Each structure stands twice: as C-alpha cells, then as structure tokens.
Amino acid sequence: NNIFQKVKKVLQENKEVLFIGTPCQVSGLKSFLKIPYDTLYTIDFVCHGVPSPMAWKSYVNLRADTDNDGIYPEKINLRSKHTGWSRYQYSNLYEYSNGKKYSAKSGNDLFMKLFVGNYINRESCGNCRFKGVERVSDFTVGDFWGVWDYLPDLDDNEGTSVVAVHTEAAIKIFHEISGKLKYKEIDITQAFKQNPSMLYSSVPSSKRSDILDLISEAKFDQVEAVLQKREARSGLGRVQERMIKLLFRIRTQILRKK
C-alpha cells in the first residue's frame, strides 16, 4: 500500500488532504512526511486493536459457506444499528446479492467475540505506544459508550459519537461546523470512562496463539468450544464472587447484631 506516497504527492501540489486512520497510522504518516503541512488534516479513532487479516478472511469464508453456499456477501456492516446502538445493542450484518442475510448482535457473533476478547488482534496492539489523551492527530472520534449515563438526551439509540479536539486547526474547523451539529461538551474522563481503549492497550488473551492456529485450519467448531469453556469459567467466577460478597455482608450483619 503506497497511500503515504500518494498523500505526500497531493500535499506537494498544495492541495488539502484529510487522512483518517488508526492512531499508529496517523503517527506513521507524519513521521514519513517529516515536515508539517498546513493543508493536511488528520483524524484517528478510539482503537481497540487491529485484527489478524487471516482471521478476518477465514471468518468471511465461514459466513459465505454457512449462509450462502460459498458465495461472498456484497455488504458487511460491523456496526449495523437495525437492532439499536445504545448499551452495545448494535449488530453485525452480512448481506448477499440473492437477498439472504446473516445478522447477530455483537455479543453473539463469533468474530466480534474473538476481536473484543483479544484473541485475534495483532501482537503489537497489546503494547500500543499511541494510547492516551494526547494525540498527534487533529481529531479523535469514537463511540460514546456510556452516553446514556452522562448525557441521556443525546442517546437516540442510533449512535452517539465522542469527538476529542487536539489542535488549533481542529478547533477552528469544529467551530465552523458546530452549527450543523448537536453536541455538548463533557469532561474527558467521562467521555472515555466506558471506552478504555482510548487510554489502555488491549492485553492479548493467553489463548491467542492457540485460537489463531485453529482459525488457520478453519477449525471454527473448536474455536467455539474454547470460547464456551472460558465463558463458562468466567461465569462461574462471577457467581463465586457474588456469593463471597453476599456471605461477607451476612457475616457483617451478624457481627453488628452481636
């Protein structure tokens, strides 16, 4: 991919460029250019990580084989809001030319469970050097998870974005378009409290290598089995934790009565 060279060529022609990418891609572009350009504007986003291209291709193959006799989908939307958005109700939607569809809420779709569970992301994403509030981009955008708690009047169940403005150029642009936006300012700690990927790396699962090996062999039934086992253990752990807390409260009440 020679996108950096293309961007440089357009900038050297004194034309405006809007570059949108992951935080590391934006930083990489600016390092490649070496000098600042007044006509370059950049947007990064709150990034959970970049999944393995192999895992993605294998999963699309699985969907095509399962849903449509091996014929690939025409459209894929991993943020479909036909099931809503608020409180993580968005879905993954695969649409085929013959009208067939596959739809699953994020928490029920295998690929999204692997992605969010940090089973398939690039190893470098586990120690990302581009986390934090301070960015080299002009803007950072992302889902405003938790808007229902802080600014419920902005939660229309169709998606609410959070926008962080980092530079003087970004401030100027935001003021120019603010009349076309419905927005409210919010403390940055609230803005990202339920979206920790702004600040912290996604620690790889201890089963990452095993899962990727299984995916490389298209053994998705075994991948499902691994996830189900770990989810069962996690669920048992939560039950045990609740029981311990309950017993502690009962013991405390008994001691108080004595």
Side-chain angles (χ1 to χ4, degrees):
N1 191 320
N2 62 346
I3 186 63
F4 286 4
Q5 290 92 335
K6 290 180 179 178
V7 168
K8 184 175 182 178
K9 183 176 183 296
V10 175
L11 289 171
Q12 289 175 334
E13 295 170 357
N14 202 32
K15 296 178 181 178
E16 292 185 325
V17 173
L18 172 61
F19 182 85
I20 304 173
T22 64
C24 58
Q25 289 170 340
V26 172
S27 180
L29 172 65
K30 294 204 168 185
S31 294
F32 173 80
L33 294 173
K34 293 185 172 59
I35 60 172
Y37 287 86
D38 292 337
T39 54
L40 173 65
Y41 306 97
T42 56
I43 300 176
D44 67 16
F45 49 84
V46 182
C47 180
H48 180 78
V50 178
S52 156
M54 179 277 295
W56 171 241
K57 184 177 180 180
S58 295
Y59 185 70
V60 173
N61 287 338
L62 173 69
R63 289 266 55 90
D65 291 340
T66 303
D67 306 332
N68 200 35
D69 299 321
I71 300 173
Y72 287 107
E74 276 194 332
K75 299 178 182 178
I76 300 175
N77 185 350
L78 301 184
R79 274 291 194 281
S80 176
K81 302 181 183 73
H82 73 278
T83 53
W85 173 89
S86 185
R87 301 180 188 275
Y88 318 105
Q89 292 300 305
Y90 66 91
S91 288
N92 298 267
L93 180 63
Y94 294 65
E95 299 181 76
Y96 300 90
S97 58
N98 56 9
K100 289 184 178 180
K101 294 181 181 180
Y102 161 83
S103 174
K105 287 189 177 180
S106 178
N108 297 324
D109 178 75
L110 177 58
F111 183 82
M112 288 303 293
K113 286 196 287 187
L114 292 169
F115 172 64
V116 174
N118 304 321
Y119 293 97
I120 57 173
N121 295 340
R122 290 178 181 269
E123 202 165 4
S124 57
C125 294
N127 187 27
C128 179
R129 297 188 293 108
F130 304 96
K131 297 294 182 182
V133 174
E134 301 296 328
R135 300 289 177 108
V136 299
S137 60
D138 294 301
F139 297 92
T140 296
V141 299
D143 288 294
F144 189 178
W145 302 128
V147 64
W148 45 84
D149 291 328
Y150 304 117
L151 297 171
D153 56 314
L154 291 183
D155 182 14
D156 60 2
N157 201 32
E158 294 183 0
T160 304
S161 297
V162 61
V163 181
V165 181
H166 302 297
T167 64
E168 291 298 326
I171 293 171
K172 181 175 181 293
I173 292 170
F174 189 85
H175 284 319
E176 289 174 354
I177 65 173
S178 61
K180 301 177 181 180
L181 304 175
K182 182 180 180 181
Y183 75 95
K184 288 185 179 180
E185 291 189 34
I186 190 170
D187 183 82
I188 201 160
T189 57
Q190 292 180 322
F192 298 110
K193 187 174 182 179
Q194 295 188 43
N195 203 343
S197 292
M198 179 72 173
L199 305 175
Y200 307 108
S201 299
S202 303
V203 180
S205 166
S206 60
K207 291 290 185 180
R208 176 180 178 277
S209 295
D210 295 338
I211 290 291
L212 287 173
D213 287 343
L214 290 172
I215 292 174
S216 69
E217 299 174 12
K219 295 179 179 178
F220 284 99
D221 55 338
Q222 294 184 38
V223 171
E224 287 270 25
V226 171
L227 290 190
Q228 289 173 4
K229 186 180 294 186
R230 290 174 72 85
E231 287 170 359
R233 288 177 181 172
S234 177
L236 179 60
R238 286 193 292 270
V239 170
Q240 290 174 335
E241 184 179 352
R242 287 196 293 269
M243 287 298 295
I244 290 170
K245 288 180 179 178
L246 176 60
L247 290 170
F248 180 78
R249 285 199 297 268
I250 292 173
R251 180 176 181 274
T252 301
Q253 291 173 3
I254 291 172
L255 289 173
R256 283 175 180 170
K257 288 180 180 179
K258 289 181 179 179

